[in-house]
Amino acid sequence: LRMRKPLVVLTVAALALVSSAAIAESLPEPTPNNVSLQIFTLNNTGTGAMSLGYRFGSTVIGVGVMIDTKYFDDGSGGNWSGGWTVFPAIQIQLASSNTGRVALTMHLEVGAGTEASEADDPTTRFTAFTGPAINYWLDPSVSIGMRAGVRADFVTYETPASKIVTDTGLQMQALF
């Protein structure tokens, strides 16, 4: 049941966005602006990210930075950790409504950065994220949406650690 929650939320959001496409048909088409700024959050991870890219047709290629903080209760009062990651990002539009107001995209991000905590020295972190997103264009150059996917992290502590988690989150995109 816990793994299905992001899928249920994404499905409900998709149905709401697609059903609102009829209302959006009277709105103008998105502008041909090509510089993309995306701001997004990843649920349950204390993570925020931003990417800046350039749009080539239905594909956006750019670079982003992710900043996160985490609190771990290890039974002895807890431990804070945080870090940053720089990543190249690719967003490909897979499908859109007839008016172009609702779009389904796929994201791929692979990056490297550092992570530090109260208990350990700073370490190197490698991360990768992939997954779909649904965008609704409020205006010809501004969209809101929701994305879900799988993120893999590898951290080089004294004993290397890796994890694979599912992430969902909100995103906003602006074209200039």
Side-chain angles (χ1 to χ4, degrees), residues 33-38 51-55 60-63 91 137 172-176:
N33 301 337
N34 291 323
V35 176
S36 169
L37 173 66
Q38 295 184 40
S51 69
L52 186 62
Y54 192 80
R55 185 170 69 171
V60 175
I61 298 174
V63 65
Q91 171 189 319
W137 292 91
M172 184 174 133
Q173 182 174 3
L175 298 174
F176 303 97

Side-chain angles (χ1 to χ4, degrees), residues 2 8 20 23 32 39 52 54 61 68 89 119 124 133 141 151 176:
R2 186 171 170 90
V8 169
S20 64
I23 296 169
I39 300 170
L52 186 62
Y54 192 80
I61 298 174
D68 65 305
T124 303
S141 61
R151 183 167 56 108
F176 303 97

Side-chain angles (χ1 to χ4, degrees), residues 37-54:
L37 173 66
Q38 295 184 40
I39 300 170
F40 49 93
T41 63
L42 297 175
N43 223 12
N44 301 324
T45 62
T47 302
M50 180 169 97
S51 69
L52 186 62
Y54 192 80

Side-chain angles (χ1 to χ4, degrees), residues 108-129:
L108 175 63
E109 299 153 5
V110 178
T114 186
E115 185 168 307
S117 71
E118 294 175 330
D120 295 310
D121 291 331
T123 62
T124 303
R125 174 174 64 188
F126 300 97
T127 187
F129 173 86

Side-chain angles (χ1 to χ4, degrees), residues 1-96:
L1 179 64
R2 186 171 170 90
M3 292 274 248
R4 293 183 186 171
K5 183 179 177 187
L7 182 60
V8 169
V9 170
L10 187 60
T11 302
V12 169
L15 292 174
L17 290 175
V18 170
S19 68
S20 64
I23 296 169
E25 287 196 29
S26 63
L27 298 174
E29 290 289 319
T31 62
N33 301 337
N34 291 323
V35 176
S36 169
L37 173 66
Q38 295 184 40
I39 300 170
F40 49 93
T41 63
L42 297 175
N43 223 12
N44 301 324
T45 62
T47 302
M50 180 169 97
S51 69
L52 186 62
Y54 192 80
R55 185 170 69 171
F56 301 91
S58 62
T59 302
V60 175
I61 298 174
V63 65
V65 63
M66 177 174 66
I67 299 172
D68 65 305
T69 59
K70 300 176 187 108
Y71 178 77
F72 299 96
D73 187 359
D74 58 5
S76 63
N79 183 17
W80 282 98
S81 74
W84 56 269
T85 304
V86 174
F87 57 87
I90 298 174
Q91 171 189 319
I92 300 170
Q93 182 174 309
L94 301 175
S96 67

